[in-house]
Amino acid sequence: MPAPSLTQQDIRCSFCGKPKTDVAKLIAGAGVHICNECVGLCVQILDMESEGKSPSEIPWPDAMTDEQILELLPRVAAVGAQVEADLRTWVLRLRDRGVTWARIGAALGMTRQSAWGRFSGEE
């Protein structure tokens, strides 16, 4: 099974969860993506800090209610699923190039059998 092309991949911003079709630009990192809107927000936050203003704090789990954490769980799970799908795509690209399961496993810190079991799609 060949790796999916970029147009076939369901790529979303890892920060806000918007799909690539709903934003002007997505920037790819190692298994994550950030949209132009989230980059703009980051720039605003950095500008506030450089001007000596304190940006709003992000609520961390110890300051969040159970309901707030429960609301956040699906977004965290979606990012995790996207990272796993991206990893699978990169592995498939390597297999398309003839890279062995042994080399892929070594790069991921696992045996070739574990890499094959996780990424081959065969049973």
Side-chain angles (χ1 to χ4, degrees):
M1 172 176 166
S5 69
L6 286 176
T7 56
Q8 294 170 320
Q9 289 179 264
D10 177 28
I11 300 173
R12 296 176 172 271
C13 177
S14 301
F15 293 82
C16 69
K18 290 182 182 175
K20 64 183 174 188
T21 55
D22 291 357
V23 296
K25 190 75 147 180
L26 270 177
I27 301 167
V32 294
H33 301 85
I34 187 168
C35 72
N36 58 296
E37 296 170 13
C38 287
V39 169
L41 181 60
C42 291
V43 168
Q44 288 176 359
I45 291 169
L46 292 172
D47 286 346
M48 288 175 67
E49 287 182 352
S50 68
E51 295 170 3
K53 298 176 186 172
S54 177
S56 299
E57 289 293 317
I58 298 171
W60 294 105
D62 55 347
M64 296 171 73
T65 66
D66 293 347
E67 292 307 313
Q68 289 171 319
I69 294 172
L70 286 167
E71 282 181 31
L72 190 60
L73 283 182
R75 289 179 59 191
V76 173
V79 170
Q82 180 172 308
V83 169
E84 182 65 21
D86 286 349
L87 179 58
R88 180 175 304 282
T89 298
W90 284 105
V91 168
L92 291 174
R93 285 186 178 130
L94 287 170
R95 292 295 297 153
D96 289 346
R97 294 178 177 190
V99 176
T100 66
W101 285 114
R103 287 185 65 199
I104 292 168
L108 293 172
M110 61 177 65
T111 66
R112 68 177 176 80
Q113 294 91 341
S114 294
W116 179 87
R118 182 171 171 186
F119 299 108
S120 74
E122 299 177 30
E123 296 206 20

